[in-house]
Amino acid sequence: MKSKIGIIIGREFNERVRKKSFIITTLLTPLLMLGLMLTPMLITFYSEGDLKQIAVVDDSKIIAPALQSTPEVEFVTTPLPIEIARKEFSGYFAVLHIGSDIMENPRNIQLYANGSTSFGLEQNIATQIEMVLQNEKLKKYNIENLQQILAETDTDISLQSFKNSTDTEEEEAESSSSAVATVLAYVLSFMLYMFLIIYGVMVMQSVIEEKNNRVLEVMVSSVRPFDMMMGKILGVACVAVLQIVIWAALIAGAAYFILPNILPDEIVASLAMMKEGGVAAAAQGGAEVGIIQAIMMLTDIGYILKILASLLIFVIGGFLLYAAMFAAVGSSVDSPQDAQQLQTPLMLPIIISLFVMLSVINDPSSNLAFWFSMVPLTSPIVMMARIPYEIPTWEIIVSAVLLYATFIIVVWGAGKIYRVGILMHGKKPNLKELWRWMRYK
């Protein structure tokens, strides 16, 4: 026989799961997440910018001959004065003017763009000019074979990151990618942010609606107020759990079956080399090792399931904690407008968590990141931002225990407020009044 609280859970669950909005968001969100993570990498391989022609007026006669054109930028030298060149080459992307005293005054450079320029383009031009000026100044030292020496000493490095473990040999160390961890930190933090706000407010509005319709006054005659509140909270929590489980299946399936089929052949070949011969073999495949390591992590089902399991733990804990407080607020007011004042203190820890998340990305092991990931009101978002960086397991366990223990304490106080508030109409309580309700026996 179903308990009364079980009946309430079933009602809340069925009411939300059968909505079209739930089905649409459940199916589209994983695709959106994968798109956010993969789009930058795919754009890098498939995108080709339009050719930009830049006319160069070099009064110094030093810079223009050394400028190197690229598939995106073509430098065209002209002997015309700058005033005339700006008019004659109005159909070009830009006109670059280099002053005659560029060696003594490196600031005497102007770029007259005929359209919108970009930071990357400006940096490309500035870097090339800096290299030319450096080479010209080095020539004054009369070093033999200077160009050959510079060419031989010019070295590009590719840093590979691994998780250090004394249980495995160095060549078998597991690859890691800070780029993937950073993207996941952003995505998971904002996902927790949306979950806590959307589902928390959903509980609050549901309580306000039923209170205004006098439904609660009928139900309270047969169900304890605490059971009603817990049934509503757990019912919505089951909806969130179902959504995350579906996401886990969709994301894991897409990463394992779909992702390898949409990658360029060069990347697929390098992935195979890395699996067989490690990073050194992958580097010989011609692709960027950092990108290969990132894709390896995205296609690692064990890593994905670990992230999703952690997400499930902290989504449920965070939701239960905040939903109890939102339910208490909803029971104490008669309209969403009246709830704004009481809702603000609940929103502040969530907003603060987002700001701390930015610090976590810079240093996931800092004292600030650690303590905010232990404080229950901020731990759901901050801890999910730290987990992709492979923090110690004991920190995750302690944070989760503190979160659920705090929920038990908060739900007791919220139940006291709920018991009084659902039968009270026409009064807008303040925080002092809510504290008084909690002490009623």
Side-chain angles (χ1 to χ4, degrees):
M1 183 178 64
K2 289 186 177 181
S3 63
K4 295 178 181 179
I5 192 172
I7 296 174
I8 298 174
I9 292 175
R11 174 185 174 275
E12 295 292 333
F13 179 81
N14 292 325
E15 181 182 354
R16 287 165 175 79
V17 169
R18 293 177 180 178
K19 291 183 178 180
K20 292 182 179 179
S21 58
F22 172 82
I23 299 174
I24 294 174
T25 56
T26 301
L27 296 178
L28 292 183
T29 300
L31 297 178
L32 179 61
M33 289 176 59
L34 285 176
L36 290 174
M37 290 186 287
L38 294 178
T39 297
M41 289 185 290
L42 295 178
I43 289 177
T44 302
F45 288 101
Y46 290 115
S47 65
E48 294 184 359
D50 297 332
L51 179 64
K52 298 177 177 62
Q53 290 183 311
I54 299 178
V56 181
V57 179
D58 186 6
D59 294 337
S60 70
K61 311 302 181 184
I62 298 174
I63 305 298
L67 292 177
Q68 299 292 324
S69 297
T70 66
E72 290 79 26
V73 180
E74 180 184 4
F75 295 102
V76 179
T77 305
T78 174
L80 297 175
I82 184 59
E83 294 79 7
I84 299 177
R86 290 176 61 185
K87 297 178 181 179
E88 291 293 327
F89 293 95
S90 59
Y92 277 36
F93 178 79
V95 177
L96 177 64
H97 178 224
I98 301 170
S100 58
D101 60 342
I102 186 65
M103 293 294 295
E104 296 76 21
N105 182 17
R107 296 181 179 272
N108 193 5
I109 306 173
Q110 298 84 36
L111 180 68
Y112 299 95
N114 295 314
S116 299
T117 184
S118 66
F119 178 76
L121 175 63
E122 294 175 3
Q123 285 295 106
N124 179 21
I125 296 173
T127 301
Q128 288 204 46
I129 295 176
E130 287 175 359
M131 293 300 297
V132 174
L133 293 178
Q134 290 176 9
N135 290 336
E136 289 297 322
K137 292 179 179 180
L138 285 172
K139 289 179 181 178
K140 296 180 180 180
Y141 292 91
N142 297 321
I143 302 175
E144 294 183 4
N145 301 324
L146 176 61
Q147 295 302 323
Q148 180 181 352
I149 294 173
L150 293 175
E152 292 177 353
T153 56
D154 185 18
T155 306
D156 293 327
I157 69 167
S158 179
L159 179 65
Q160 295 99 44
S161 179
F162 300 90
K163 294 192 289 286
N164 190 24
S165 176
T166 57
D167 297 331
T168 59
E169 298 294 335
E170 181 179 357
E171 61 270 14
E172 297 177 352
E174 187 176 352
S175 297
S176 64
S177 172
S178 59
V180 172
T182 300
V183 173
L184 285 176
Y186 270 112
V187 173
L188 295 174
S189 297
F190 279 102
M191 181 181 294
L192 263 294
Y193 172 79
M194 298 302 295
F195 256 101
L196 296 181
I197 291 181
I198 292 176
Y199 282 99
V201 172
M202 184 186 298
V203 171
M204 183 185 70
Q205 291 177 342
S206 176
V207 173
I208 294 175
E209 180 181 351
E210 292 181 355
K211 181 178 177 180
N212 291 334
N213 293 336
R214 306 291 180 173
V215 174
L216 292 177
E217 294 183 6
V218 177
M219 295 179 62
V220 78
S221 61
S222 57
V223 182
R224 292 189 307 164
F226 183 83
D227 291 343
M228 286 192 296
M229 184 187 72
M230 287 301 300
K232 187 174 292 293
I233 292 174
L234 295 177
V236 179
C238 289
V239 176
V241 171
L242 176 63
Q243 202 166 43
I244 294 177
V245 170
I246 295 175
W247 287 350
L250 292 176
I251 293 175
Y256 189 78
F257 295 106
I258 298 177
L259 182 58
N261 296 322
I262 64 175
L263 294 173
D265 294 337
E266 177 186 353
I267 298 297
V268 175
S270 296
L271 281 172
M273 291 180 181
M274 178 173 282
K275 291 178 180 179
E276 294 179 2
V279 175
Q284 298 176 0
E288 178 64 37
V289 174
I291 296 178
I292 300 301
Q293 289 182 302
I295 297 176
M296 282 282 290
M297 290 182 67
L298 291 176
T299 55
D300 185 351
I301 299 300
Y303 178 77
I304 293 176
L305 292 179
K306 177 182 177 181
I307 294 294
L308 291 173
S310 302
L311 177 65
L312 188 64
I313 292 173
F314 284 94
V315 161
I316 295 175
F319 167 76
L320 292 176
L321 177 62
Y322 277 94
M325 293 186 287
F326 275 110
V329 170
S331 67
S332 62
V333 297
D334 295 326
S335 67
Q337 291 75 20
D338 295 337
Q340 292 297 324
Q341 180 180 356
L342 298 176
Q343 184 180 343
T344 301
L346 303 184
M347 302 290 289
L348 284 177
I350 301 177
I351 296 174
I352 292 174
S353 300
L354 285 181
F355 288 104
V356 176
M357 179 266 292
L358 300 176
S359 174
V360 169
I361 291 174
N362 291 327
D363 186 2
S365 299
S366 67
N367 289 331
L368 179 69
F370 173 81
W371 288 112
F372 271 90
S373 65
M374 294 298 160
V375 176
L377 291 177
T378 58
S379 64
I381 293 177
V382 178
M383 181 55 77
M384 282 312 305
R386 297 183 65 208
I387 288 176
Y389 292 96
E390 299 291 335
I391 62 173
T393 304
W394 71 265
E395 294 185 12
I396 302 175
I397 295 175
V398 171
S399 177
V401 170
L402 291 175
L403 178 62
Y404 282 87
T406 304
F407 160 70
I408 295 175
I409 298 173
V410 169
V411 78
W412 174 83
K416 295 276 190 177
I417 297 174
Y418 191 92
R419 181 187 62 180
V420 178
I422 57 173
L423 300 176
M424 188 168 293
H425 297 274
K427 184 177 182 180
K428 184 178 178 181
N430 52 30
L431 294 176
K432 185 178 180 180
E433 187 75 16
L434 294 180
W435 176 251
R436 187 180 303 115
W437 292 358
M438 289 179 59
R439 293 185 295 172
Y440 286 165
K441 295 184 178 179

